[in-house]
Amino acid sequence: ELGLTLRYVINTHAHADHITSGGRIRAENPDVRTVISRASGAKADVHVEHGDKVSFGRLSLEAIATPGHTDGCVTWHLPGDPGMIFTGDALLIRGCGRTDFQQGDSAKLYDSVHTKLFTLAPETLVCPGHDYQGRNTSTVAEERQFNPRLKQSKDEFVKLMSELNLPYPKRIDEAVPANMQCGVY
C-alpha cells in the first residue's frame, strides 16, 4: 500500500528472550539482508562494527557499539533534528537491560551508555527495544536526569545490577542458539 520494500532486518543484539524473525523473513524474501554486530558472534548476511552505516533510500543508520547487556550490543543512530537512537536493551526508558548472563558486564554497560549515548544531543529521541509500561520514546536528556539506574555512580550501578536476582528468561535455552543462527534452527 505504501510502496515500501523491506531491505534489512537489523538487530541490536542476539536476544535471549525471543527468537529473531530475521532468518524467516529472509527465507520468504531472499533480497532482505540480516544485520548484526560482528562482536555478537551470530550469523547474519551483514556484520557491522562501531561506526559502520546501513543505508536505505536517503537515510542511513550508524552503528554505535554499546556492549554491556551483551558483548555484541549495538545502538543504531539515525541523525536528524532531532536524531533518534534505537537502543535495543542497552538503554530502556527509566532502565536498562540486565547484565547477569550472555557476556553481560555492568561496568561496560554503564560506560557504553554514559560515554556513547548520554553524550548525544539532549533532544535525541531514545527508542528502546521494548518497555513494560507502554512508553515508546524518551530523550537523552530525560534518561540522563530520570533513569534511576543510570543516574547513579558507576560503583552504585554495578552493585545494583549484581543484586537484581532476576529469573532467567523462559526461552533462553531455545532462543540463544536459534539467534546465533539468525533465528533459524
Side-chain angles (χ1 to χ4, degrees), residues 24-57:
R24 187 170 187 174
I25 290 171
R26 187 181 60 202
E28 294 175 11
N29 301 283
D31 292 335
V32 170
R33 296 289 160 245
T34 58
V35 181
I36 199 164
S37 165
R38 182 175 313 285
S40 72
K43 291 185 179 179
D45 299 307
V46 179
H47 288 100
V48 296
E49 296 181 8
H50 182 80
D52 287 349
K53 293 184 179 178
V54 175
S55 298
F56 50 98

Side-chain angles (χ1 to χ4, degrees), residues 7 9 29 32 35 46 65 81 88 105 137 151 154 165 181:
R7 298 275 184 229
V9 173
N29 301 283
V32 170
V35 181
V46 179
D81 187 24
D105 183 316
T137 59
K151 70 179 185 177
K154 184 175 178 177
N165 296 318
Q181 302 299 318

Side-chain angles (χ1 to χ4, degrees), residues 68-69 89-101 106-107 109-111 113-114 118 130-133 135 142-167:
H69 174 59
D89 291 350
L91 175 61
L92 304 175
I93 297 173
R94 311 303 191 262
C96 62
R98 60 195 292 174
T99 58
D100 57 331
F101 60 85
S106 300
L109 180 58
Y110 187 92
D111 289 342
V113 171
H114 279 266
F118 282 0
H130 51 85
D131 180 80
Y132 301 110
Q133 307 299 319
R135 301 167 293 198
E142 283 182 31
E143 293 311 309
R144 277 196 303 230
Q145 183 175 0
F146 300 119
N147 192 306
R149 290 183 182 175
L150 290 158
K151 70 179 185 177
Q152 299 183 57
S153 73
K154 184 175 178 177
D155 288 340
E156 291 169 326
F157 176 78
V158 169
K159 182 177 186 302
L160 170 85
M161 296 302 284
S162 72
E163 296 172 349
L164 290 178
N165 296 318
L166 298 170

Side-chain angles (χ1 to χ4, degrees), residues 13 16-17 53 57-58 95 112 121 138 142 169 171 183:
H13 64 292
D17 55 349
K53 293 184 179 178
R58 295 174 292 155
S112 291
S138 181
E142 283 182 31
R171 297 185 67 193

